[in-house]
Amino acid sequence: MSATLQTLFFSPTHSSRRIALALGDGLAAALGMPQKNRDLTFPPDREQSLDCGPDDILLFAFPVYAGRVPQVLEAPLSRLRGNGAVAVIAAVYGNRDYDDALLEAADLLTRQGFVVAAAGAFIAEHSVAPRVGAGRPDAQDMTVLADFARRATAKIAAGNPAPVSVKGRRPYKERIPAADVRPKTMDSCSKCMICVAGCPMNVISREDPAVVATGCIRCRACVKFCPQEAKFFDDAGTAKIREMLESKCLARREPELFL
Ligand SMILES: Cc1cc2nc3c(=O)[nH]c(=O)nc-3n(C[C@H](O)[C@H](O)[C@H](O)COP(=O)(O)O)c2cc1C
Ligand code: SF4
Ligand code: SF4
């Protein structure tokens, strides 16, 4: 098979997907490579393995969760085989901070046999507090993404790209054990099943979408895409985080590029 740009993303509320596809189109066009998209958002796709050839390029985009790579991606990423292929990483965060997520992703891909040649941290609407990062990525972000694709292409096309050094610290930010918090559902639910289809953890009941089983990762896809605005979180932890985000994280942050 000819060398391919493999675009890989996990994106419950679609911002990382948007950034992955824009960046993927830019890279594929500039490198003159065919592109294959792989969406890791849903369970059957997360179970596939991916073996890259040395001439393939991997583009990996993911949302930052609590300053880290989402834990649900640990197993799927451990099934990647880089075989010396070049990788480009996009960490997408909600205008608070990406902490150690980009470094963690770069370490993970390096361990799997990739050469991480370019990486960036990009801003999107915060799925927990949509007023934070509202409207991002916007036209200005898209211009930065196009520039990033151009610069990454130039580095890759020059041959033997050096591994990039990114911001972050080891040991990574500690993972706080997730409490069993699940969304609630108002009586206005029309049983349209949009939330059932969009849940990356398959925890919303097909029989009754108001019933949510254990295993929710609080990605907010069900809240964002419910046409009745019937899904919501009312736990004290969520309220506290939203308040912190809305009081401290409204000032615009800009993408950071590492090449
Ligand atoms: C559980 C959870 C944790 C998050 N943690 C962070 C964080 O540490 N820093 C930040 O800036 N944004 C954080 N966000 C916001 C997401 O990174 C942001 O909304 C991202 O665009 C969501 O990606 P998606 O649209 O591809 O699902 C978090 C969101 C969720 C749901
Ligand atoms: S998306 Fe909203 S209206 Fe549709 S089934 Fe889910 S909770 Fe009900
Ligand atoms: S139930 Fe939890 S995991 Fe499923 S879509 Fe809603 S927030 Fe995400």
Side-chain angles (χ1 to χ4, degrees), residues 11-16 63-67 92-97 124-128 218-219:
S11 188
T13 58
H14 299 182
S15 297
S16 308
V64 174
Y65 283 2
V92 180
Y93 72 101
N95 203 60
R96 183 193 67 76
D97 205 334
E125 173 186 294
H126 201 301
S127 36
V128 179
R218 294 174 278 174
C219 70

Side-chain angles (χ1 to χ4, degrees), residues 11-253:
S11 188
T13 58
H14 299 182
S15 297
S16 308
R17 175 194 173 92
R18 227 179 116 200
I19 286 173
L21 297 182
L23 206 45
D25 286 350
L27 284 167
L31 289 159
M33 284 173 99
Q35 188 185 174
K36 197 165 172 209
N37 296 327
R38 295 182 52 138
D39 185 351
L40 297 181
T41 308
F42 300 105
D45 305 306
R46 287 204 299 272
E47 280 142 30
Q48 308 289 318
S49 56
L50 173 61
D51 267 28
C52 286
D55 297 327
D56 287 339
I57 305 217
L58 180 83
L59 166 61
F60 171 49
F62 67 96
V64 174
Y65 283 2
R68 300 282 304 270
V69 174
Q71 199 157 12
V72 68
L73 291 179
E74 268 176 17
L77 293 178
S78 74
R79 282 190 284 273
L80 299 178
R81 297 285 171 266
N83 300 309
V86 166
V88 176
I89 304 178
V92 180
Y93 72 101
N95 203 60
R96 183 193 67 76
D97 205 334
Y98 58 94
D99 299 303
D100 307 321
L102 200 51
L103 178 64
E104 183 184 15
D107 285 347
L108 277 164
L109 292 188
T110 304
R111 262 201 308 277
Q112 297 309 121
F114 293 90
V115 177
V116 179
F122 301 94
I123 296 93
E125 173 186 294
H126 201 301
S127 36
V128 179
R131 278 181 56 210
V132 177
R136 309 285 298 274
D138 57 15
Q140 204 177 313
D141 292 314
M142 289 301 170
T143 305
V144 177
L145 276 170
D147 178 53
F148 178 56
R150 261 192 307 274
R151 289 172 59 196
T153 299
K155 181 173 177 185
I156 295 164
N160 293 322
V164 77
S165 180
V166 302
K167 210 173 91 181
R169 281 189 303 192
R170 301 184 195 93
Y172 313 129
K173 198 172 177 190
E174 202 179 337
R175 284 198 203 277
I176 300 150
D180 184 7
V181 176
R182 313 175 198 183
K184 294 191 175 154
T185 311
M186 294 181 204
D187 292 343
S188 55
C189 166
S190 63
K191 300 201 176 356
C192 70
M193 301 296 160
I194 287 174
C195 59
V196 174
C199 174
M201 303 309 288
N202 273 348
V203 290
I204 306 178
S205 165
R206 271 173 206 287
E207 284 68 44
D208 179 359
V211 175
V212 179
T214 181
C216 168
I217 57 169
R218 294 174 278 174
C219 70
R220 268 72 179 181
C222 56
V223 175
K224 180 167 180 174
F225 298 123
C226 173
Q228 306 296 331
E229 299 184 4
K231 281 261 186 277
F232 64 101
F233 283 84
D234 70 349
D235 60 292
T238 293
K240 210 169 140 197
I241 291 168
R242 195 179 295 125
E243 199 180 302
M244 179 281 286
L245 290 166
E246 290 178 350
S247 64
K248 298 201 171 125
C249 303
L250 287 172
R252 183 184 175 97
R253 294 197 59 171

